[in-house]
C-alpha cells in the first residue's frame, strides 16, 4: 500500500446527492457467514438488501429492498501474541483488529524474530520470489545479521541467470539446486507457482528438516490439500506472509522507499501450525523484512479464499471485463476510440484510483457535478447486482475447491499430454482497445490522470462495493476486505495497467492470478453488457435505497483508518520498468 496520507474530510462528509437522501448515524459492523443479498448493518436508515424475482428485468436486476433484518453474527477476531514486535489494536467500523506496524527502524529486531534460523531458502523466481528474496537479503544485511538467503531453482532453469543478475550466486552459496536448498534451510519459502506446488508438495515435505518452518505467500496449497483430505506434516511449522500486491510492486516500493520509513506493500500473516512456539515471531519478522507498512492477522483458509477470489474480481479479472464492455459502449454511442480509452482505462487507473487511494470512494461521487452524480447513480444502481451475481459465484467456486482444481488442471495443459498439444496462456491485449491504448499513452502528458467519467465511476465503484459486501458476508476481517478490494487495486495493480495496458498488469502477477483473470474477465464483460447496460437503456429506475446504503456504509470509515497507516510513497511504474517479469521488459508503450 503506497498512497500518500491526506485529509479524508472531503470523502467522509455527507454527500450532496442529486436527490435528497436519508442521513445515517454511526453503527457497528455485523456480519453473517451465510451470504444472502442482505445488509451487513442493522439500522433504520441502512436498509437490508434481498434478491427477489420481480417484474423489473429478471435475473439479478430483479433485486429489491425488504424491511426485515436477518440474524447476523460478528466478524471473526484474530488475536496473536508476539514477544518481539509491538502489537496494536485498531478499530475498523466498530470491530477491533490487531496489527503490527512495519518500518526500517524495526530491522534491528529481525535477528530476534528469526532466532534459530541460519538459512532462509526461497524456492521459485516468478512474481514473488525475486522481490521477497532481495528484500529479505537487504533487510537482514541492514540488521547486520548473518542469516543467509538462498535461492533454490531447478538445475538448468532459465531463472538462474536472473537470480545471478540480482546478486545470488552459486559461488557465494546463495543460489543452488532446489532440493539441496530445501534440505539445508530452517525457513523454506515456497514461492513456486500454485500448480507446481500441487505437483511437488510431497517432495518438498520429504526434504524439509524436522522442526523447520514452511513459509507460504498464498493459502492455495492448503486448499489443494483439503480437497484431497490431507494436511501438512506434523513435524514442521507452517506460516504464511501474503503481500497485498504483485511481486514487482513489493520490490519497487521497497526500493523507492529506502529513505522513507515503512514504505512497501501491506501483508497479512497466518500461523497454521506452530511446533515450537516460534511461528508468530518468524512470520512477523518475515513481513517486516519485506517492508510491509502494516501486517494483519488472517488464517490460511481465509487468505486463499479472499485472494483467489479478489484476483478474479476487481483486482484483475473484473476490471478487465468492465473496461472492455464500456469501451465498446462508448464507441458504439459515437465517442472516438481515443476518448473511449481515456474514459475507461485512463479514468479508472488515473483519477478514480488516485481519488480512492487518498480520499476514499465517496470523494469520487462528491467531485461530480449534479448531472454527473445522477449518471453515477444510474450506473451504480444498474451494475451493483450484476457484479455481485458473478462475484458470488466466483467466491463459491473458490471456497468449494473448484477454482483451485481448475488452476491445477490448467497448469498441466501447458505441456503436451495424452497426444494433445500444449496450451499455454494466450495473449489478452489483442482487441482494438488495447491497440488504441498504445496510441493514447504515446501522447499522454506527464502526470495526466485522465478524465473522470461519471458512468465509468459508477460501474467501477459498484463493483468495488459488491466485492466488499461478499467478503464481509463471508466473515473476512475489514483489514482483509479493504486490502483485497480497495488498496491492492488502486495502489498496487492499477498503476501497471496505467503504465502499459492490461497485460502489463495481469501478466506481472502469479500464474494463478493470470489464469483466473483470463477465465473470469469475459463473465464480467458479458453481464455488464447483457444486464447492466440493458437496464440503463430500458430506463430502469435508480434504486434509491441501494444508493443510500452506499453513502452510509461503514466501510468508508474503515478505509480512512487504514489510510492513516500508509507511507508517503506512491508507486512509480515507468513503461520501461526493469523490475517486472523479464518477458515484459521493453520500452514500448
Amino acid at each position: 500500500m503506497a498512497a500518500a496520507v491526506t485529509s479524508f474530510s472531503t470523502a467522509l462528509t455527507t454527500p450532496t446527492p442529486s436527490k435528497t437522501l436519508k442521513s445515517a448515524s454511526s453503527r457497528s459492523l455485523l456480519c453473517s457467514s451465510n451470504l444472502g443479498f442482505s445488509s451487513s448493518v442493522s439500522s433504520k436508515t441502512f436498509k437490508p438488501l434481498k434478491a427477489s424475482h420481480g417484474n423489473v428485468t429478471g435475473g439479478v436486476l430483479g433485486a429489491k429492498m425488504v424491511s426485515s433484518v436477518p440474524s447476523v453474527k460478528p466478524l471473526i477476531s484474530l488475536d496473536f501474541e508476539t514477544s518481539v514486535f509491538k502489537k496494536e489494536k485498531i478499530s475498523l467500523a466498530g470491530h477491533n483488529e490487531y496489527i503490527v506496524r512495519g518500518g526500517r527502524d524495526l530491522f534491528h529486531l529481525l535477528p530476534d524474530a528469526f532466532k534459530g534460523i541460519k538459512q532462509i531458502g526461497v524456492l521459485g523466481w516468478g512474481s514473488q520470489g525475486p522481490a521477497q528474496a532481495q528484500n529479505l537479503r537487504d533487510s537482514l544485511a541492514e540488521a547486520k545479521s548473518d542469516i543467509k538467503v538462498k535461492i533454490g531453482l531447478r538445475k538448468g532453469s532459465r531463472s538462474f541467470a536472473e537470480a545471478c543478475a540480482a546478486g545470488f550466486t552459486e559461488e557465494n552459496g546463495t543460489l543452488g539446486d532446489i532440493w539441496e536448498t530445501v534440505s539445508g534451510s530452517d525457513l523454506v519459502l515456497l514461492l513456486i507457482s500454485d500448480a507446481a506446488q500441487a505437483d511437488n508438495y510431497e517432495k518438498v515435505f520429504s526434504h524439509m528438516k524436522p522442526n523447520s518452518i514452511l513459509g507460504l505467500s498464498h493459502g492455495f496449497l492448503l486448499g489443494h490439500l483439503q480437497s484431497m483430505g490431507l494436511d501438512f506434516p506434523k513435524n514442521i511449522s507452517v506460516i504464511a506472509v501474503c503481500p497485498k500486491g504483485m511481486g514487482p510492486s513489493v520490490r519497487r516500493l521497497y526500493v523507492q522507499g529506502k529513505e522513507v520509513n515503512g514504505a512497501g506493500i501491506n501483508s497479512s500473516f497466518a500461523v497454521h501450525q506452530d511446533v515450537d512456539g516460534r511461528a508468530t515471531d518468524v512470520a512477523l519478522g518475515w513481513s517486516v523484512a519485506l517492508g510491509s507498512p502494516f501486517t494483519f492477522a488472517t488464517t490460511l483458509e481465509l487468505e486463499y479464499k479472499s485472494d483467489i477470489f479478489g484476483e478474479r474480481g476487481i483486482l484483475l479479472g473484473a476490471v478487465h471485463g468492465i473496461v472492455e464492455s464500456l469501451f465498446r459502449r462508448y464507441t458504439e454511442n459515437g465517442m472516438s476510440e481515443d476518448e473511449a480509452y481515456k474514459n475507461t482505462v485512463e479514468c479508472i487507473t488515473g483519477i478514480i484510483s488516485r481519488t480512492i487511494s487518498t480520499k476514499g470512494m465517496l470523494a469520487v461521487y462528491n467531485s461530480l457535478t449534479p448531472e454527473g452524480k445522477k449518471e453515477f447513480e444510474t450506473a451504480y444502481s444498474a451494475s451493483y447486482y450484476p457484479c455481485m451475481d458473478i462475484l458470488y459465484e466466483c467466491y463459491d467456486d473458490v471456497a468449494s475447491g473448484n477454482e483451485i482444481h481448475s488452476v491445477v488442471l490448467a497448469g498441466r495443459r501447458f505441456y503436451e499430454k495424452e497426444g494433445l498439444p500444449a496450451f499455454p496462456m494466450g495473449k489478452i491485449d489483442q482487441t482494438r482497445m488495447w491497440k488504441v491504448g498504445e496510441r493514447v499513452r504515446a501522447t499522454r502528458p506527464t502526470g495526466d490522470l485522465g478524465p473522470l467519467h461519471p458512468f465509468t465511476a459508477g460501474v467501477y465503484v459498484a463493483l468495488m462495493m459488491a466485492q466488499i459486501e461478499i467478503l464481509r458476508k463471508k466473515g473476512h476481517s475489514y483489514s482483509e476486505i479493504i486490502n483485497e478490494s480497495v488498496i491492492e487495486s488502486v495502489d498496487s495493480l492499477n498503476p501497471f495497467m496505467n503504465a502499459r495496458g492490461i497485460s502489463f498488469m495481469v501478466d506481472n502477477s502469479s500464474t494463478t492470478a493470470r489464469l483466473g483473470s483470463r477465465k473470469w474477465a469475459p463473465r464480467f464483460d458479458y453481464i455488464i453488457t447483457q444486464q447492466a447496460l440493458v437496464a440503463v437503456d430500458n430506463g430502469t429506475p435508480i434504486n434509491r435505497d441501494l444508493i443510500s446504503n452506499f453513502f452510509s456504509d461503514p466501510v468508508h470509515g474503515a478505509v480512512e483508518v487504514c489510510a492513516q497507516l500508509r507511507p508517503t510513497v506512491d508507486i512509480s511504474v515507468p513503461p520501461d520498468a526493469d523490475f517486472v517479469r523479464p518477458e515484459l521488459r521493453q520500452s514500448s508503450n
Side-chain angles (χ1 to χ4, degrees):
M1 178 173 68
V5 178
T6 60
S7 170
F8 270 69
S9 57
T10 303
L12 296 178
T13 54
T14 302
T16 307
S18 57
K19 183 176 180 179
T20 304
L21 300 172
K22 301 175 183 177
S23 62
S25 59
S26 60
R27 50 188 63 84
S28 299
L29 171 72
L30 295 174
C31 178
S32 171
S33 60
N34 183 16
L35 177 68
F37 294 120
S38 53
S39 169
S40 62
V41 178
S42 176
S43 169
K44 292 181 179 179
T45 56
F46 195 92
K47 300 183 179 180
L49 316 178
K50 184 177 181 180
S52 173
H53 297 289
N55 58 359
V56 183
T57 57
V60 293
L61 290 176
K64 64 180 182 180
M65 296 295 168
V66 294
S67 59
S68 61
V69 179
S71 61
V72 292
K73 63 182 181 181
L75 283 169
I76 188 171
S77 180
L78 296 169
D79 198 358
F80 57 90
E81 296 299 327
T82 172
S83 60
V84 177
F85 300 100
K86 180 183 177 182
K87 180 181 70 173
E88 297 182 40
K89 181 170 71 174
I90 60 174
S91 179
L92 299 178
H95 183 74
N96 290 333
E97 297 187 26
Y98 301 90
I99 67 165
V100 166
R101 292 179 190 253
R104 294 172 184 268
D105 59 337
L106 300 181
F107 286 175
H108 72 281
L109 298 175
L110 295 179
D112 290 335
F114 290 137
K115 186 176 180 180
I117 293 175
K118 296 181 179 179
Q119 178 172 296
I120 300 174
V122 179
L123 311 186
W125 198 261
S127 178
Q128 288 291 335
Q132 294 202 30
Q134 292 178 84
N135 289 14
L136 279 163
R137 177 194 62 193
D138 295 352
S139 297
L140 288 167
E142 191 169 325
K144 297 180 171 56
S145 170
D146 59 1
I147 297 173
K148 180 190 295 185
V149 177
K150 183 176 182 178
I151 309 301
L153 298 171
R154 295 190 311 275
K155 287 291 186 180
S157 166
R158 65 180 182 179
S159 299
F160 252 75
E162 285 291 325
C164 287
F168 298 95
T169 67
E170 292 180 278
E171 290 73 22
N172 65 17
T174 59
L175 175 63
D177 172 72
I178 185 170
W179 306 118
E180 291 176 0
T181 301
V182 174
S183 299
S185 297
D186 307 292
L187 170 60
V188 177
L189 306 187
L190 189 59
L191 302 180
I192 58 178
S193 73
D194 291 335
Q197 289 184 33
D199 288 339
N200 293 281
Y201 69 89
E202 290 179 295
K203 194 170 183 179
V204 173
F205 295 164
S206 70
H207 280 74
M208 290 185 67
K209 298 189 294 187
N211 298 321
S212 60
I213 304 172
L214 177 65
L216 306 169
S217 281
H218 194 11
F220 181 96
L221 184 55
L222 173 65
H224 178 65
L225 293 175
Q226 287 177 334
S227 71
M228 299 183 296
L230 302 175
D231 204 347
F232 297 95
K234 298 304 179 185
N235 63 342
I236 62 171
S237 293
V238 181
I239 63 175
V241 169
C242 309
K244 298 299 127 182
M246 65 174 78
S249 294
V250 173
R251 181 59 179 170
R252 178 61 169 171
L253 279 165
Y254 181 94
V255 172
Q256 275 187 256
K258 282 192 173 181
E259 304 304 320
V260 179
N261 191 37
I265 295 289
N266 292 336
S267 296
S268 61
F269 88 97
V271 174
H272 187 71
Q273 283 183 187
D274 188 2
V275 298
D276 57 12
R278 294 184 296 149
T280 297
D281 284 332
V282 170
L284 290 171
W286 173 12
S287 184
V288 168
L290 294 184
S292 304
F294 83 84
T295 305
F296 61 92
T298 187
T299 68
L300 269 182
E301 185 170 355
L302 287 171
E303 193 286 327
Y304 83 72
K305 289 178 180 178
S306 64
D307 191 65
I308 298 175
F309 164 73
E311 293 163 350
R312 285 141 181 78
I314 197 167
L315 301 183
L316 299 172
V319 70
H320 182 186
I322 66 172
V323 295
E324 292 263 9
S325 176
L326 291 176
F327 179 84
R328 291 195 308 274
R329 167 82 168 188
Y330 295 159
T331 55
E332 288 169 1
N333 286 332
M335 190 180 289
S336 73
E337 289 183 330
D338 285 26
E339 287 303 307
Y341 188 86
K342 291 176 183 178
N343 281 286
T344 53
V345 175
E346 301 279 287
C347 173
I348 288 173
T349 64
I351 187 63
I352 290 177
S353 288
R354 178 64 62 85
T355 303
I356 292 175
S357 173
T358 58
K359 300 177 182 179
M361 288 174 280
L362 289 178
V364 175
Y365 178 88
N366 284 337
S367 64
L368 298 170
T369 65
E371 283 302 309
K373 289 175 179 176
K374 183 176 181 181
E375 190 173 354
F376 176 102
E377 292 171 9
T378 298
Y380 185 100
S381 179
S383 303
Y384 182 86
Y385 282 118
C387 287
M388 181 176 275
D389 183 18
I390 304 300
L391 290 166
Y392 192 176
E393 177 188 348
C394 182
Y395 191 99
D396 281 351
D397 271 9
V398 173
S400 68
N402 290 343
E403 195 67 16
I404 289 175
H405 189 54
S406 173
V407 169
V408 173
L409 293 177
R412 293 170 183 167
R413 291 194 296 272
F414 291 167
Y415 311 97
E416 291 184 18
K417 181 181 177 184
E418 299 172 342
L420 294 171
F423 285 93
M425 281 185 276
K427 295 183 177 181
I428 56 171
D429 58 356
Q430 300 301 294
T431 58
R432 177 66 184 166
M433 72 173 296
W434 303 111
K435 302 306 177 184
V436 172
E438 293 178 11
R439 184 171 69 228
V440 169
R441 291 192 298 275
T443 59
R444 181 174 61 194
T446 301
D448 182 17
L449 295 178
L452 177 56
H453 194 291
F455 196 90
T456 299
V459 174
Y460 184 71
V461 173
L463 169 65
M464 185 171 282
M465 290 297 296
Q467 180 160 316
I468 287 168
E469 184 69 353
I470 294 284
L471 289 171
R472 189 158 51 187
K473 285 295 171 52
K474 291 296 186 178
H476 294 265
S477 70
Y478 259 118
S479 289
E480 195 154 59
I481 292 168
I482 292 169
N483 276 280
E484 291 287 0
S485 303
V486 182
I487 296 170
E488 186 171 356
S489 178
V490 301
D491 285 348
S492 175
L493 295 170
N494 284 350
F496 282 77
M497 180 160 52
N498 184 265
R500 266 182 40 202
I502 189 65
S503 179
F504 197 57
M505 176 178 74
V506 172
D507 289 331
N508 266 304
S509 301
S510 69
T511 300
T512 296
R514 296 168 70 195
L515 286 167
S517 181
R518 284 162 166 79
K519 177 180 177 180
W520 288 89
R523 296 291 308 282
F524 286 96
D525 182 342
Y526 176 87
I527 205 162
I528 291 296
T529 301
Q530 292 287 340
Q531 293 195 22
L533 300 183
V534 170
V536 171
D537 291 341
N538 288 343
T540 302
I542 294 172
N543 188 327
R544 287 292 165 197
D545 287 330
L546 187 61
I547 299 300
S548 179
N549 279 4
F550 165 62
F551 294 146
S552 58
D553 197 294
V555 73
H556 303 303
V559 168
E560 179 189 18
V561 174
C562 289
Q564 294 168 0
L565 300 168
R566 301 180 185 187
T568 56
V569 178
D570 289 315
I571 191 168
S572 172
V573 187
D576 59 351
D578 62 358
F579 52 88
V580 300
R581 287 182 182 270
E583 63 270 24
L584 294 174
R585 294 177 190 172
Q586 54 183 321
S587 58
S588 68
N589 290 316

